[in-house]
Amino acid sequence: MAGGYRYQMGSQTWRFRNLAGLMAKATPPRSGDRLAGVMAESAEERVVAQMCLAELPLRTFLSEALVPYEDDEITRLILDSHDANAFQAVGHLTVGDFRNWLLSDLATPEAIEQLRPGLTPEMVAGVSKLMRNQDLILVAQKCRITTAFRNTIGLKGRLSTRLQPNHPTDDKAGIAASILDGLLYGNGDAVIGINPATDSVAQTRELLTMVDSVIQHYGIPTQSCVLTHVTNTIEAIEQGAPVDLVFQSIGGTEATNRGFGFDLSTLREAQDAALSLKRGTVGQNVMYFETGQGSALSANAHQGLDQQTCEARAYAVARHFSPLLVNTVVGFIGPEYLYDGKEIIRAGLEDHFCGKLLGVPMGCDICYTNHAEADQNDMDNLLTLLGVAGCTFIMGIPGSDDIMLNYQTTSFHDALYARRALNLKPAPEFESWLESMQIFQNTERVALNPDVPAAFRHSLTGPDGGNPDD
């Protein structure tokens, strides 16, 4: 809209420079937007911006790109892939009307599924800014996204976990011990995923071979991933490495992703390479993406957008490549972007809502850094709220403390708590394996077996550092 947006309230007129500015001012407060200089200057301005946004027709997002079409391949992806027929169901609504529709009984899981191709990330980010936390939970709970590789992720009544056995020196014995610990708590059905301390093709191949040997030897219905740069994974595939999933951190602007060292064509090449291996048994979703509010700002590539809208745009990249898993690492970047537990909790619920509404299999690394104004009780709260909201997966790390990446997240026993408290189970194929290995002895109660066969314990942590063949 030429000249921006204005809202009259009594004798006072409020002005917002453009749609991006209106979205930023309507966003609940967070330190990253304050750092970027786009946050509302007062609670009053924020409420006025939300009222103005509520009256905005949804169609506006199709005619006013937040990042220019000619400058950004993600904007082009969003607009070129938009399904006008699917959008017709809500095309007559304002953003506020859309919120009301989502919260109504008319917005069934089936209706939302049919609508998804007609939604853009900006529409979804916009409506989230009008919602309370309970609204974000209620709508996300309606959205079930199912994906599959060696097991089925995202089914109702299920909560999966990424087993994250990181080690500061990539020591195989240390990694194997963490894998054993996680498996004995029923963790690892989403993926056994290692952040390598040494980010090279050679180290990627070595770690992939090690974890694959464990998975194959014990017939574990799960998948492995080494979270190296996408170009390293492409090269590892060319060298014959046993790659299940391709990983890459992604952002919501082309400039962010170029700063990460890739573009959409790189992801397409990697997806094709992984699909050519045909390693999945029950599905072929081969991509794993991670995101985080503040990543675009930290790369000086946010294009004047608020960080939550940038984050939602990253989900357009994700859904284009039909991933098995997408993970918002919600508090990892630090208090410069999400200052305290309250901001982290709000961001986690927003990210989960936006991802699920767009059709992305959304998980969350419920985490914080040691210099943030947050603690493990905040993480317990977010874990419980996301469990109620139907989160696809969470992290499982020994003792909640990642000794390689140096941040605090959720532990193996946190996942066990969530499953017990909310009556949730692992992926069905993985659940059956846990029972067959006598790790779970009563899956109705997610009960651990205190007497797991000693042979399983010993063979996984033998003197070779985790190679079950010796």
Side-chain angles (χ1 to χ4, degrees):
M1 176 180 179
Y5 294 83
R6 65 179 185 176
Y7 191 84
Q8 187 80 31
M9 190 166 66
S11 60
Q12 187 170 359
T13 300
W14 299 78
R15 289 181 172 82
F16 306 96
R17 57 183 172 84
N18 53 22
L19 182 53
L22 175 62
M23 293 273 280
K25 299 292 187 182
T27 304
R30 63 208 61 200
S31 54
D33 291 342
R34 183 182 298 109
L35 179 66
V38 300
M39 193 176 83
E41 295 181 6
S42 66
E44 184 180 16
E45 184 182 26
R46 181 174 300 109
V47 170
V48 171
Q50 289 170 340
M51 293 170 69
C52 184
L53 180 62
E55 296 181 3
L56 191 75
L58 273 180
R59 291 188 179 276
T60 306
F61 293 104
L62 300 176
S63 58
E64 187 174 344
L66 300 189
V67 183
Y69 182 92
E70 60 275 12
D71 297 340
D72 187 272
E73 68 173 354
I74 297 177
T75 298
R76 294 193 290 274
L77 173 67
I78 291 168
L79 294 178
D80 292 350
S81 62
H82 180 255
D83 188 329
N85 291 329
F87 180 64
Q88 285 182 357
V90 296
H92 60 292
L93 300 179
T94 65
V95 178
D97 292 334
F98 183 43
R99 171 192 176 274
N100 294 340
W101 181 85
L102 286 169
L103 292 169
S104 77
D105 291 337
L106 295 174
T108 62
E110 296 75 19
I112 292 174
E113 184 175 2
Q114 292 175 2
L115 174 62
R116 277 194 189 107
L119 296 178
T120 69
E122 293 85 352
M123 294 175 189
V124 170
V127 76
S128 76
K129 298 175 192 299
L130 307 182
M131 290 184 155
R132 292 169 54 186
N133 288 0
Q134 69 175 19
D135 300 338
L136 299 173
I137 292 168
L138 182 62
V139 176
Q141 196 181 67
K142 300 180 185 184
C143 304
R144 284 289 164 185
I145 318 299
T146 303
T147 57
F149 191 76
R150 290 200 188 97
N151 57 31
T152 308
I153 305 292
L155 295 169
K156 188 174 182 179
R158 306 279 174 172
L159 174 65
S160 295
T161 61
R162 171 188 161 190
L163 202 170
Q164 186 169 309
N166 294 346
H167 193 278
T169 63
D170 288 339
D171 178 74
K172 289 185 179 179
I175 291 171
S178 293
I179 292 174
L180 171 63
D181 192 18
L183 290 172
L184 294 181
Y185 275 97
N187 280 246
D189 51 335
V191 64
I192 300 176
I194 304 172
N195 297 89
T198 302
D199 194 14
S200 67
V201 176
Q203 187 69 350
T204 296
R205 290 184 60 188
E206 190 169 345
L207 292 174
L208 284 169
T209 300
M210 173 200 164
V211 180
D212 185 62
S213 69
V214 173
I215 291 174
Q216 299 302 328
H217 183 83
Y218 290 102
I220 308 173
T222 191
Q223 36 283 330
S224 68
C225 185
V226 172
L227 281 69
T228 187
H229 192 270
V230 61
T231 54
N232 286 345
T233 305
I234 292 172
E235 191 171 342
I237 291 173
E238 292 171 348
Q239 295 179 11
V243 172
D244 291 338
L245 304 183
V246 174
F247 168 80
Q248 183 55 47
S249 294
I250 58 175
T253 67
E254 179 180 342
T256 304
N257 293 332
R258 289 197 180 279
F260 289 161
F262 74 94
D263 58 18
L264 297 181
S265 65
T266 314
L267 297 181
R268 207 167 292 118
E269 178 186 356
Q271 183 184 38
D272 290 343
L275 286 171
S276 72
L277 300 179
K278 296 182 171 61
R279 290 177 58 83
T281 56
V282 297
Q284 291 295 331
N285 297 111
V286 297
M287 306 299 282
Y288 174 21
F289 298 120
E290 286 192 347
T291 66
Q293 287 195 29
S295 59
L297 176 58
S298 66
N300 196 28
H302 62 295
Q303 306 284 12
L305 306 185
D306 66 89
Q307 63 185 38
Q308 189 256 335
T309 300
C310 269
E311 172 75 4
R313 283 170 54 92
Y315 305 152
V317 177
R319 73 173 174 179
H320 184 68
F321 292 96
S322 303
L324 180 75
L325 308 166
V326 177
N327 176 35
T328 171
V329 192
V330 68
F332 181 74
I333 304 181
E336 299 84 359
Y337 305 95
L338 296 169
Y339 178 71
D340 57 14
K342 183 174 182 178
E343 291 187 7
I344 291 171
I345 288 169
R346 173 68 190 191
L349 294 176
E350 288 170 344
D351 294 350
H352 181 253
F353 163 87
C354 289
K356 284 292 183 65
L357 195 53
L358 288 168
V360 171
M362 206 71 204
C364 185
D365 191 342
I366 302 164
C367 63
Y368 63 101
T369 57
N370 287 317
H371 60 311
E373 292 295 320
D375 60 27
Q376 212 64 37
N377 285 326
D378 294 312
M379 301 306 102
D380 288 349
N381 293 342
L382 181 53
L383 168 61
T384 305
L385 294 172
L386 285 171
V388 173
C391 188
T392 300
F393 71 103
I394 61 171
M395 302 296 108
I397 293 176
S400 304
D401 185 4
D402 191 305
I403 58 175
M404 197 279 280
L405 292 175
N406 222 11
Y407 76 116
Q408 309 301 311
T409 180
T410 46
S411 69
F412 302 141
H413 60 271
D414 291 333
L416 188 63
Y417 146 74
R419 284 170 172 167
R420 284 179 169 173
L422 301 173
N423 193 28
L424 301 170
K425 298 180 181 181
E429 299 89 347
F430 192 77
E431 179 189 16
S432 296
W433 179 82
L434 291 169
E435 197 167 30
S436 71
M437 294 297 293
Q438 300 177 48
I439 295 172
F440 278 11
Q441 61 180 2
N442 182 346
T443 54
E444 289 301 313
R445 295 192 304 109
V446 196
L448 298 179
N449 183 354
D451 187 30
V452 178
F456 177 68
R457 293 177 182 270
H458 175 75
S459 61
L460 194 58
T461 55
D464 64 317
N467 186 346
D469 298 326
D470 294 338

